[in-house]
Amino acid sequence: MVFDVMKARQDFPILAREMAPGVPLVYLDSAASAQKPRVVMDAMVSMMTHSYANVHRGIHRLGDEATDIYEGARSRAARFIGAQAAEEIVFVRGATEGINLVAQAWGRTHVGPGDEILVSEIEHHANLVPWRMLVQEKGATVRMAPVRDDGSLDMMVLAGMMNARTKMLAITAMSNVLGVINPVREIVALAHARGIPVLVDACQAAVHGQTDVQALGCDFLVFSAHKLYGPTGIGVLWGRKEILDSMPPWQGGGHMIDRVTPETITYAGVPARFEAGTMPIVESAGLVAALDYLDGFGMDAIAAHDRMLHDAARERLARIPGLRLMGGAPGSSNIVSFTLDGAQAYDVASIADKCGVALRAGHHCAQPLMRRLGVDATVRASFGLYNTLEEVEQLGRAIEKAREMLS
Ligand code: PLP
């Protein structure tokens, strides 16, 4: 199917906004959060208008309808990532909460003094801090596999860091700073050959191409709906059923119990055991609409569009004197990070903003990677399915303007 970006743009009302008279919005911060198509908003409004109530509680019709929507979203999310059963999908607030859930519920049982959790140098803090918190409590350590200058992992070094004390390998499928895509299938095979389970942070990768947990072979995978053109407040933790079944609950509250007496508690099965309290009900309707929207184009078509923009942006930015492009590992996509000689990243992004170009500047929640790159901050442009080659050119012009003003 040919991807028609101009047609797709019409689905996103916010793109009609002018940031100043005659200055259109060029939104290049989709890796932080993607804009929302009308179908996602409509699905959420429709649920609140017609079928809203709390889920799993009602003896009434609205409660049943809301529960059907919420549980339907679980099946839809399972289909999106090729899970074997809807019960393998745990709804969480986002990728961050999913990783915290695994670090606490799984980690507290399986990690002890002297054990190791293996991560990489390009992880988002969401896939680092929860593990650091766990190991502090347990007297274990987090080890960080280094990356090469282009952001790619050295697989030999990674394999060499796996040992009998490694209790979990937690790795991103795609860097939120460099757009580097890790060979997850190969990494999982290396880890499994040594009996090490693998958690995949698919927060960036899920929007960039097809995610298939069976093909990846991993044990846990997380993603957030808001990066997939869906709402904030809902994300997915997928886990193999047998592993989820073996895990104790994480947060306590309503819905996650089987029976409570003044003296005893027994817990519900999976996934209810991990979904304490009122869940993101309206957001689940938005998630379904977002996944349907994406599948309407096909993830392969979206991935090809992202890659085209990424390659064009690197090529355009490389022509600017004094601009240092980070990363560049073969196969990278969707995200470009750079610095400009003699200029602070924040100043560059502020000038771009005056040109209507929304960029991100900072450490991008990846401070160990910043240290590896030898910088405090970078400017980051990240693309969505609504971005165009003309916008890549506008990015180039905005950075040239920043260079003129700051040097
Ligand atoms: N992992 C990666 C690679 C990310 O890019 C992000 C967010 O930028 C996260 C995890 C955390 O996602 P959230 O803030 O939606 O929980």
Side-chain angles (χ1 to χ4, degrees), residues 27 38 54 128 308 337 355 366 394 405:
Y27 187 74
R38 173 79 68 194
N54 211 329
L128 177 59
M308 186 264 295
S337 267
C355 307
Q394 283 169 278
M405 289 175 69

Side-chain angles (χ1 to χ4, degrees), residues 6 43 59 89 144-145 156 173 192 226 229 252 264 269 294 304 332 358 400 407:
M6 296 320 282
I59 324 285
I89 301 293
M144 219 176 266
M156 295 278 280
H192 280 184
H226 70 97
Y229 309 96
T264 60
L294 287 171
S332 299
E400 279 165 354
S407 59

Side-chain angles (χ1 to χ4, degrees), residues 31-32 93-97 99 124 126-127 172 174-176 201 203-204 224 226-227 380:
R93 197 159 53 85
T96 301
E97 190 172 77
I99 298 170
H124 186 283
N127 196 25
T172 189
M174 183 174 187
S175 160
N176 66 308
D201 175 356
C203 216
Q204 296 295 340
S224 299
H226 70 97
K227 303 211 198 256
R380 181 184 76 178

Side-chain angles (χ1 to χ4, degrees), residues 30-97:
S30 296
S33 203
Q35 297 298 344
K36 314 305 170 201
R38 173 79 68 194
V39 283
V40 167
M41 305 175 203
D42 286 350
M44 295 171 77
V45 170
S46 166
M47 187 188 185
M48 287 185 285
T49 310
H50 302 292
S51 300
Y52 183 76
N54 211 329
V55 297
H56 301 133
R57 315 268 200 282
I59 324 285
H60 54 74
R61 181 153 156 199
L62 286 185
D64 288 345
E65 287 177 12
T67 302
D68 285 349
I69 291 172
Y70 182 74
E71 289 304 324
R74 199 186 301 285
S75 304
R76 183 66 185 90
R79 184 150 61 84
F80 185 70
I81 57 168
Q84 265 176 349
E87 294 72 45
E88 295 187 329
I89 301 293
V90 178
F91 283 129
V92 284
R93 197 159 53 85
T96 301
E97 190 172 77

Side-chain angles (χ1 to χ4, degrees), residues 17-28 347-359 390-406:
R17 192 168 159 191
E18 287 190 337
M19 304 317 285
V23 180
L25 167 65
V26 178
Y27 187 74
L28 301 182
D347 296 337
V348 175
S350 300
I351 293 170
D353 183 48
K354 303 273 182 301
C355 307
V357 180
L359 299 171
E390 170 53 29
E391 289 181 317
V392 170
E393 179 51 32
Q394 283 169 278
L395 164 69
R397 285 201 295 265
I399 302 306
E400 279 165 354
K401 182 161 184 198
R403 181 171 171 270
E404 270 164 42
M405 289 175 69
L406 297 169

Side-chain angles (χ1 to χ4, degrees), residues 11 16 25 30 69 84 96 118 150 188 220 244 246 257 264 272 297 299 310 339 373:
D11 299 332
L25 167 65
S30 296
I69 291 172
Q84 265 176 349
T96 301
L118 186 54
D150 67 2
V188 171
F220 296 104
L244 291 176
S246 73
I257 52 87
T264 60
F297 295 112
M299 294 310 292
H310 166 271
T339 56
L373 298 171

